[in-house]
Amino acid sequence: MGFRGFDAAKLSTLAGHLDTLAENSGKLHSQLAAVLTTAQQNLPSGQNASRDPDLQDLVGDVIPLPSFFRRPRLLPGSLGGELGYMQSSMKRRIRQIEGLQELEKRGYPVSDSSVFLDEKAPDAKKIDAALRHLNDLKGKDFGTNGNRDDLEQISGELDGLTAAELDSFVGKAPPKDLAFYNRLLTDTDDSVWNPFDDNGLPEDKRRDSLSLMLSKVSPENVDKFTAAFPGVQPTFENTDAYEAGGNSQNGQTNNGIHWAPPSDPLFQDGVSADDVNQRQFGDCWYVASLAGLAQKDPAFVQEGIKQNPNGTVSVRVWDKEGNYHWVTMTADLPSDQNGNPIGTYGNGESWPAYYEKAFAMVYSDDGDDERGYGGIEGDDPKKSAPYLTGKEGEDLTTGGFLGIGEHEDKSLESLKEAYNSGKVVTVATPADEELDKNHPAEWGNTYHSNHAYYVRGFTDDGKVILGNPWGVSGYPPITVSQEQFNKYFGSAEAFDAP
C-alpha cells in the first residue's frame, strides 16, 4: 500500500534510474553529435545531415558545453541537468515521506499536506524534546527571577522545527498546555518582590515566534493554534463599526459582523492605489498612506505580502526601531452578515485588507496598549510611515487651523516638491463639521472633515489632485487650489517610498 498512496521504495528506484539517465545523457549527446558531424562532412556542400532542425543544430557540438559558455544547452545533453535536479528533488521528498511514516508509527498525527513539503526530513526526537519542555513549564517555580529565559529557550526550539515537525507538535500537544504557554508568553508584568525580573516575551519577539509558527502549521491545525494563541487574531469589537454598526462618515453600515474568508485572491492585476477602498473602520490616516505608497511604489507593496501554503497570509511590517517583521494572520476578515468584508478592501483583490489586518495586530499608540482594529482608528497619517517603510514621516506644513474660517498659509509648492521627489504625500482636514456643508460643490461627497487624503498629482496650473482613501469609484479625486487648500485642509505629511 505504501504511505498515503506513495511507495517510497519504488520512488527511490525511479530516482535512481533518472540519475543514471542524467549521467548518460552527456555521452549520448557526444555520440549523436559525432555521427551527425561526420555525416555533414561527407555530404555535398549545401546538404544537411538531418532534416530535423533540432538534430542539425548538434552538428559540431561533440563536446556539450554549459550554457554560460555558449547558447542554451541542447538535447539530449541538457537532460543531464534537468534529470539531475528532478532526481535530487525526488530523493528529498522520499526522505520526507519516510520521516513522516516514522512519525506516524510513533503515534504522532501527520497531516496529508506535510507529505508534499520540500524540506529536511522530520526528526521525532526534536518533537519529543519540544513536547517535554512544554510540559515541564507547568512544574517550574519561576520565582522572582522571571521566566523569560525558559520561554526564549522554548520559542527558539519551536522556531527551529520544520513545518512537518511543528505541525506534529501542535497536533500532539494538549490544548491546555498550549494555552498555558500562551499565558506565560503574554504575561510581562514584574513581580512585586523584584521589579527587575523579566517575565513573558516582549511583544515583537512573541509576534515573530507566533507568526512563524502560524505560517507553518497545516490547515487542519490552524483552528487549534488560533484557539490556543488568540493574540494572532486582532479584535474588531473595540471599533465604531462594531459598536455603532458602521462608519458615520461615509454612511456604510453592517449587521452581524463576524470573521469570514474573502472570495477574492490577494492580487488580480497587481497593486494600484485605485485598489484601496477604506470602508467601515476609522483608520483613514493609515489607509491614505497605504494608497499613496501603492501609487508611488506598487512593486514594494506587492513584495510585502505573501500567501503561505497553509492559506495564512504574511505581511511585512516595520517596528519603531526600524526592523521589519513578517506578521502572519489567518485568511478570514471582519465581514457583514452576507460575508462581505467591512474593512479596507480592493476591487476584486484582497491585499489591502491584509495590510490593514497586520497593522491592527501590531500598532499601539505611545502610552496606549490598545490593539486591534479599534487601536488604529483616529490618528496622524505621519505615524503610519514607520510601519509601512521603516522610515519616519515629516511635516510639510507648519500652519494649523486657528478657528473656524481662520488659518495659516500652507504653500502647495512644498507638497509638489516632495511629491515630485518620489515621496508619498498625505493631507488632512480639520475636525470642523461646518466644512462638510460649506465646501465647493464640485467636490461632492469626496470631501469630508476630520479625514485624510493622499496626493495623486498636480495640474499644470499648480493645483493639487487629492485622492480619498474611500475609493475612486464612489469618491473621485478632487482638484484643490492654493486658496481652497488653505481653507479646507490642515496638515500635510510626507515619507519616502523605498
Side-chain angles (χ1 to χ4, degrees):
M1 277 293 293
F3 176 73
R4 307 292 172 90
F6 295 93
D7 190 317
K10 290 183 178 180
L11 290 172
S12 296
T13 300
L14 176 59
H17 290 162
L18 292 175
D19 200 14
T20 301
L21 289 173
E23 293 175 357
N24 293 333
S25 65
K27 297 176 184 178
L28 177 61
H29 187 105
S30 297
Q31 293 170 353
L32 182 58
V35 170
L36 291 169
T37 300
T38 300
Q40 184 72 59
Q41 293 170 346
N42 289 293
L43 287 171
S45 177
Q47 292 189 23
N48 292 330
S50 174
R51 295 178 180 178
D52 188 316
D54 291 331
L55 290 178
Q56 183 62 33
D57 284 343
L58 292 178
V59 173
D61 197 23
V62 178
I63 302 176
L65 296 176
S67 59
F68 53 81
F69 286 123
R70 57 189 298 280
R71 59 195 171 113
R73 292 280 300 273
L74 303 172
L75 291 171
S78 62
L79 289 175
E82 295 174 11
L83 292 175
Y85 173 80
M86 185 182 298
Q87 63 84 18
S88 64
S89 175
M90 287 182 65
K91 288 179 179 179
R92 288 196 310 272
R93 293 174 182 274
I94 290 167
R95 289 192 291 270
Q96 173 79 353
I97 290 173
E98 292 173 337
L100 293 172
Q101 191 172 18
E102 180 61 29
L103 287 186
E104 193 169 75
K105 289 179 181 178
R106 298 184 57 165
Y108 282 110
V110 175
S111 166
D112 285 342
S113 58
S114 296
V115 176
F116 298 97
L117 296 172
D118 188 3
E119 59 182 14
K120 185 178 179 181
D123 184 348
K125 293 181 180 179
K126 292 183 178 179
I127 309 173
D128 291 339
L131 286 169
R132 184 172 62 253
H133 296 155
L134 179 69
N135 184 68
D136 290 346
L137 285 175
K138 295 182 294 185
K140 286 195 173 185
D141 180 12
F142 298 111
T144 59
N145 293 322
N147 58 21
R148 185 161 296 174
D149 291 344
D150 299 90
L151 296 176
E152 287 178 338
Q153 178 182 351
I154 292 180
S155 67
E157 189 175 20
L158 296 177
D159 290 348
L161 297 180
T162 66
E165 290 166 349
L166 180 66
D167 192 58
S168 290
F169 165 83
V170 173
K172 187 75 170 180
K176 62 179 181 180
D177 287 3
L178 294 174
F180 180 69
Y181 176 54
N182 179 67
R183 287 198 298 273
L184 294 178
L185 287 176
T186 55
D187 183 5
T188 56
D189 290 337
D190 295 326
S191 71
V192 295
W193 301 107
N194 181 5
F196 303 105
D197 61 359
D198 292 319
N199 292 293
L201 289 185
E203 197 277 335
D204 57 341
K205 292 184 178 180
R206 183 170 70 248
R207 178 71 53 207
D208 285 348
S209 182
L210 295 180
S211 288
L212 182 60
M213 292 171 68
L214 180 56
S215 70
K216 291 181 178 181
V217 297
S218 67
E220 295 90 335
N221 278 323
V222 166
D223 287 345
K224 180 179 181 180
F225 186 88
T226 55
F229 303 97
V232 299
Q233 188 83 302
T235 181
F236 52 69
E237 295 182 1
N238 56 354
T239 64
D240 288 340
Y242 180 79
E243 296 175 354
N247 185 321
S248 59
Q249 282 191 320
N250 59 26
Q252 294 189 21
T253 60
N254 71 82
N255 286 307
I257 181 172
H258 65 289
W259 291 101
S263 58
D264 298 310
L266 277 183
F267 302 105
Q268 189 176 64
D269 53 4
V271 167
S272 166
D274 292 350
D275 298 332
V276 181
N277 297 276
Q278 178 203 353
R279 296 189 178 179
Q280 296 189 31
F281 297 133
D283 56 346
C284 59
W285 61 285
Y286 170 75
V287 182
S289 298
L290 177 63
L293 182 59
Q295 175 184 242
K296 284 292 188 179
D297 199 340
F300 178 78
V301 173
Q302 187 159 351
E303 292 165 1
I305 184 171
K306 56 186 178 182
Q307 193 149 31
N308 303 307
N310 62 358
T312 60
V313 178
S314 297
V315 172
R316 179 180 54 194
V317 181
W318 274 260
D319 60 26
K320 294 181 179 179
E321 283 69 46
N323 304 307
Y324 76 84
H325 307 260
W326 284 100
V327 177
T328 303
M329 67 209 82
T330 56
D332 49 1
L333 299 169
S335 306
D336 63 18
Q337 71 273 22
N338 297 317
N340 300 311
I342 67 166
T344 298
Y345 207 69
N347 299 311
E349 46 201 319
S350 57
W351 68 264
Y354 293 113
Y355 262 91
E356 181 182 54
K357 185 176 180 180
F359 191 56
M361 291 172 67
V362 303
Y363 180 75
S364 64
D365 198 5
D366 295 334
D368 184 1
D369 290 332
E370 183 181 24
R371 296 184 186 274
Y373 286 95
I376 63 175
E377 290 192 312
D379 217 322
D380 186 346
K382 183 175 61 176
K383 293 184 179 181
S384 59
Y387 292 86
L388 284 168
T389 66
K391 300 176 182 179
E392 294 287 339
E394 60 176 308
D395 289 318
L396 293 180
T397 55
T398 57
F401 279 76
L402 305 177
I404 296 177
E406 298 181 12
H407 51 80
E408 297 180 33
D409 187 62
K410 301 170 285 291
S411 172
L412 293 184
E413 283 300 318
S414 62
L415 278 67
K416 186 175 182 180
E417 181 180 351
Y419 180 83
N420 288 340
S421 70
K423 294 180 184 291
V424 176
V425 181
T426 60
V427 301
T429 57
D432 180 359
E433 295 183 1
E434 286 297 318
L435 297 176
D436 294 329
K437 307 172 185 177
N438 302 304
H439 62 258
E442 63 268 21
W443 292 352
N445 61 354
T446 297
Y447 180 86
H448 206 286
S449 63
N450 197 26
H451 193 41
Y453 297 77
Y454 64 100
V455 173
R456 291 176 65 97
F458 289 82
T459 63
D460 293 339
D461 57 354
K463 296 178 181 178
V464 63
I465 304 171
L466 299 178
N468 189 326
W470 290 345
V472 295
S473 58
Y475 305 90
I478 58 176
T479 301
V480 182
S481 68
Q482 176 68 73
E483 182 181 1
Q484 291 170 331
F485 189 82
N486 289 342
K487 182 175 182 180
Y488 297 102
F489 292 86
S491 61
E493 293 85 20
F495 62 90
D496 288 310

